[in-house]
Amino acid sequence: MPKNMLVVSNTAALAQLQALLDQLNDEQYGAIVCDIAVSTLGCHVRHIIEHYERFVDDLDSGLIDYDARSRDTTIESHRAVARERVVGISECLRQLGRKGLTGQEKMQVRLRTDIQVVEVPTVESSIARELVFLHGHTIHHFAQMALHMRAMGLSVDKQLGMAPSTQAYLQQAEKSSRTIAS
């Protein structure tokens, strides 16, 4: 995989998030669709944004703590704020990509996580691994957002929230079925 492909895939996901924000109106952005899913599209957007912000803000220290998110509710309720934050994160990632990640993608970082009650452990990771996580995490939330949007009767790209490996599998299956049919 090219060194900057991790940055490219994440900035593409953030561009998709920007497009989603532009597609929604304020009412849709803050709507609770049903009693089962009490979160809003804005909640998912905030969650995605704050994970990326922790990554870019903590990168220089070498200790990434996704649990230390600010949980800024203005992101949840104001699409313009969310969009501005996405633009800022995208620029930070592009700067990281412009540096070429030469050797940096393997740079070790520590990841702090609250998985235990008594002791808060840190684990070894790398910039590349965290970029892989952030991309997968974003796709996961896109899938949840797609369900919300469909429940609201909105048009949703059928691939929104679909893992790249699933997309590749379906494309290969479709090619195979066309080959068999001919």
Side-chain angles (χ1 to χ4, degrees):
M1 175 184 305
K3 291 178 181 176
N4 289 341
M5 187 53 68
L6 294 171
V7 170
V8 169
S9 63
N10 278 278
T11 54
L14 290 170
Q16 192 173 17
L17 182 56
Q18 283 180 294
L20 281 172
L21 289 168
D22 292 342
Q23 175 185 340
L24 300 168
N25 63 38
D26 292 333
E27 184 179 333
Q28 294 163 336
Y29 187 66
I32 294 177
V33 181
C34 64
D35 292 339
I36 296 171
V38 293
S39 62
T40 64
L41 293 171
C43 290
H44 288 285
V45 170
R46 177 198 49 80
H47 187 77
I48 292 167
I49 288 171
E50 289 184 343
H51 271 75
Y52 276 105
E53 286 179 339
R54 289 289 10 118
F55 172 77
V56 297
D57 291 348
D58 291 351
L59 199 53
D60 286 339
S61 74
L63 178 65
I64 299 169
D65 186 352
Y66 296 116
D67 294 330
R69 298 183 312 278
S70 63
R71 292 165 175 82
D72 183 353
T73 57
T74 60
I75 299 170
E76 292 178 18
S77 53
H78 296 85
R79 286 181 307 123
V81 172
R83 194 174 198 298
E84 182 180 308
R85 302 278 273 272
V86 170
V87 168
I89 295 163
S90 296
E91 182 52 34
C92 288
L93 291 178
R94 279 192 287 280
Q95 286 176 12
L96 185 64
R98 281 194 288 273
K99 291 178 185 175
L101 291 178
T102 310
Q104 274 194 318
E105 72 275 12
K106 294 179 183 174
M107 185 177 98
Q108 292 297 301
V109 293
R110 306 266 315 145
L111 180 67
R112 183 186 177 281
T113 183
D114 290 340
I115 60 171
Q116 295 179 350
V117 177
V118 179
E119 180 184 342
V120 179
T122 59
V123 295
E124 295 295 322
S125 189
S126 67
I127 290 175
R129 175 64 190 101
E130 293 311 308
L131 286 168
V132 168
F133 159 73
L134 287 166
H135 186 264
H137 178 257
T138 300
I139 299 303
H140 163 75
H141 280 278
F142 281 174
Q144 293 178 338
M145 291 169 67
L147 292 174
H148 283 265
M149 292 170 72
R150 287 185 184 106
M152 286 189 270
L154 300 174
S155 174
V156 180
D157 180 337
K158 68 179 183 176
Q159 293 187 333
L160 179 66
M162 187 181 293
S165 60
T166 302
Q167 290 177 25
Y169 169 79
L170 292 174
Q171 287 173 353
Q172 184 58 41
E174 186 177 318
K175 280 183 191 177
S176 296
S177 68
R178 277 187 271 153
T179 303
I180 293 170
S182 22

